[in-house]
Amino acid sequence: MLTRRRLLTGAAAFALAAGLGLPLAAGDAFAQSADGRPVDAAKVLVPDASPLPVKVLGDANAPVTIVEYASMTCSHCAAFHTGTFPELKKKYIDTGKVRFIFREFPFEPVATAAFMLARCMPDDKYFPMVSTLFETQKTWAYGNDPAAGLLQVARQAGMSQQDFEKCLTDQALAEKVQASALYANKELGVNATPSFIIDGKLYSGALSIADMDKILTPLLAAK
């Protein structure tokens, strides 16, 4: 059985923080206000952005693309996904106006482990698992035994304990999850979660649906 010690010293402990100089503690990552800083749009959607398969929702031909970078142990990310995201999906993604890409930006080992768990699910259960992890974040992210909390979530999703342990001791997967964040930090200037790249501009913070409306309405009107 994975204990907290094993979780933090196994594959999931190849800490992204060591590469970025970020705090190695579960909980909130940095949260900033939306600012709309320009980024190199040519670097956002290239294969080098992540060695893992793209996780995307919405019409491939949608006029606007949103790329979110999140950490699974970030409470601001959880607030966005439990509060704003359902309305964003209903209003913009499901209507073909926005294509939404979700990428990993773990700040510490427990977040890496949670992302690994989502990646080990079947493709059609990836986004439901991400949603469940954010909805249940307080039950597994901040306690003394995150492995037990994550196992409970995994079991509820139909994953066996054997598959759970196999997933969270996959060093190659851990490194790929972290590579997404390293690229975003070095090449795109992402240093906070949640962060959103929307048509070549970077916004950071748990944006409300009103914030999204202000950004998306003029972009869609110009398409």
Side-chain angles (χ1 to χ4, degrees):
M1 172 62 186
L2 279 177
T3 62
R4 178 181 175 83
R5 180 179 177 84
R6 284 189 62 197
L7 178 65
L8 298 181
T9 58
F14 287 89
L16 171 66
L20 302 185
L22 299 175
L24 194 67
D28 285 347
F30 299 110
Q32 303 171 352
S33 299
D35 49 24
R37 290 186 286 113
V39 298
D40 187 345
K43 294 182 177 181
V44 176
L45 300 177
V46 294
D48 287 348
S50 176
L52 290 164
V54 176
K55 293 301 183 181
V56 58
L57 294 172
D59 190 334
N61 297 315
V64 173
T65 296
I66 296 175
V67 179
E68 180 191 0
Y69 284 93
S71 178
M72 292 305 308
T73 52
C74 162
S75 66
H76 299 284
C77 301
F80 172 79
H81 275 271
T82 58
T84 302
F85 185 75
E87 185 64 20
L88 177 72
K89 186 175 184 296
K90 177 182 177 181
K91 190 172 183 179
Y92 293 104
I93 299 172
D94 292 346
T95 57
K97 297 175 182 177
V98 164
R99 181 174 63 142
F100 180 84
I101 296 172
F102 186 73
R103 287 183 180 160
E104 295 91 347
F105 199 95
F107 275 75
E108 41 73 45
V110 177
T112 298
F115 276 126
M116 292 168 68
L117 190 59
R119 284 285 181 174
C120 287
M121 299 298 293
D123 287 345
D124 63 340
K125 292 186 178 181
Y126 173 81
F127 278 107
M129 174 57 82
V130 167
S131 295
T132 298
L133 286 166
F134 278 131
E135 290 165 1
T136 61
Q137 186 187 77
K138 292 181 180 179
T139 69
W140 58 265
Y142 310 129
N144 293 325
D145 194 353
L150 286 172
L151 176 59
Q152 182 176 358
V153 174
R155 282 176 165 168
Q156 290 173 349
M159 181 181 286
S160 68
Q161 182 171 327
Q162 181 179 3
D163 287 342
F164 172 82
E165 296 201 15
K166 180 180 179 181
C167 176
L168 294 195
T169 53
D170 185 339
Q171 178 178 339
L173 177 58
E175 292 173 346
K176 288 177 181 178
V177 166
Q178 293 157 5
S180 168
L182 288 168
Y183 179 93
N185 180 255
K186 293 179 180 180
E187 301 296 333
L188 304 176
V190 175
N191 60 9
T193 57
S195 284
F196 307 88
I197 299 175
I198 306 174
D199 272 21
K201 292 186 177 181
L202 177 65
Y203 303 84
S204 298
L207 304 183
S208 67
I209 192 62
D211 294 327
M212 283 292 186
D213 287 340
K214 290 178 182 178
I215 298 167
L216 296 173
T217 298
L219 290 177
L220 290 168
K223 299 295 181 177

